[in-house]
Amino acid sequence: MRRVERTLIQSLEERFRRITELLYDTRVPADVLDEEVLPFLAEDVSFTDPWQRGAGRETYRRGAAGFHCMFSFDFDITQLNVQLEEGGLKGRAIVDGVMNLKQFSWLYTYPLRTILVYDFTLLAPTSPGGDFKPLIHAHEEMWSFGDMIAAVPGVGWVYKNLFRRGFSYGFLAASALCRRVKGMPSLS
């Protein structure tokens, strides 16, 4: 990788770290989101998570402000990576971490393992020596329902230690039955 490209990727990683820190810390006020995140959103930006999908810059803006108003959470980044497509005008940032849902923090902070994906294009610098600016077209938030269940106190233990083990045995029994019905040899 060329030095210029490495420097650009490092700069983009810092930018996406900052965007994630702003979007996923509900202590950040809406006017700060407008000032520091809005300039990086394309008019056609979409947001997708397991529960919802919305598109458009204004919809995204209202949704982010609403989340910051209604919920309490922050995000611990485990790893962050930016990759550029051939030609370097499009890219993807992937952020892996834990969203700490603190709605009832006096009782329990709910850790939800989360992967964020930002698809973006690069806008050329507007002045000599300026930075390339990422313009986000899609923001996807991924987390597993299994992880949600596993993180519920009490229920999580039953799910992880009894349900999953029982389901594994049931699946293996169904697999053996299927092989037998189809006349395939046993794997024992």
Side-chain angles (χ1 to χ4, degrees):
M1 185 183 319
R2 294 186 338 251
R3 183 179 174 91
V4 172
E5 187 176 342
R6 225 181 4 254
T7 301
L8 174 59
I9 287 176
Q10 287 175 330
S11 169
L12 290 168
E13 287 175 346
E14 290 170 20
R15 172 60 57 202
F16 281 102
R17 178 176 298 279
R18 178 68 179 151
I19 288 170
T20 300
E21 289 169 348
L22 292 165
L23 287 171
Y24 287 88
D25 186 339
T26 53
R27 294 170 297 189
V28 174
D31 61 326
V32 173
L33 290 177
D34 282 353
E35 182 182 321
E36 293 195 47
V37 175
L38 209 56
F40 298 99
L41 301 179
E43 287 298 326
D44 66 344
V45 66
S46 66
F47 174 82
T48 306
D49 76 8
W51 294 108
Q52 63 181 327
R53 183 175 195 297
R57 192 171 190 218
E58 188 58 26
T59 299
Y60 186 104
R61 179 180 170 262
R62 286 191 319 243
F67 268 100
H68 280 236
C69 179
M70 291 187 290
F71 297 103
S72 179
F73 56 83
D74 61 23
F75 196 92
D76 296 326
I77 296 173
T78 305
Q79 54 187 331
L80 187 150
N81 179 265
V82 169
Q83 292 200 348
L84 297 174
E85 289 183 8
E86 195 68 38
L89 296 178
K90 288 184 174 184
R92 171 174 274 194
I94 299 177
V95 182
D96 177 17
V98 175
M99 189 178 346
N100 301 295
L101 305 171
K102 299 177 176 187
Q103 231 29 45
F104 305 105
S105 61
W106 52 271
L107 178 64
Y108 183 65
T109 295
Y110 189 93
L112 184 59
R113 189 174 50 127
T114 305
I115 296 173
L116 307 172
V117 176
Y118 302 96
D119 290 318
F120 63 91
T121 54
L122 285 178
L123 299 177
T126 54
S127 62
D131 289 334
F132 280 87
K133 174 183 161 186
L135 193 60
I136 300 168
H137 295 277
H139 171 190
E140 184 173 5
E141 182 181 290
M142 295 174 268
W143 31 265
S144 127
F145 287 112
D147 284 353
M148 287 185 82
I149 295 167
V152 175
V155 173
W157 185 90
V158 171
Y159 174 74
K160 289 187 285 190
N161 296 297
L162 299 178
F163 176 81
R164 280 184 169 167
R165 181 173 292 146
F167 192 90
S168 287
Y169 288 128
F171 181 81
L172 291 174
S175 295
L177 178 62
C178 179
R179 292 183 65 77
R180 182 177 215 153
V181 167
K182 291 190 175 198
M184 300 171 116
S186 172
L187 295 176
S188 50

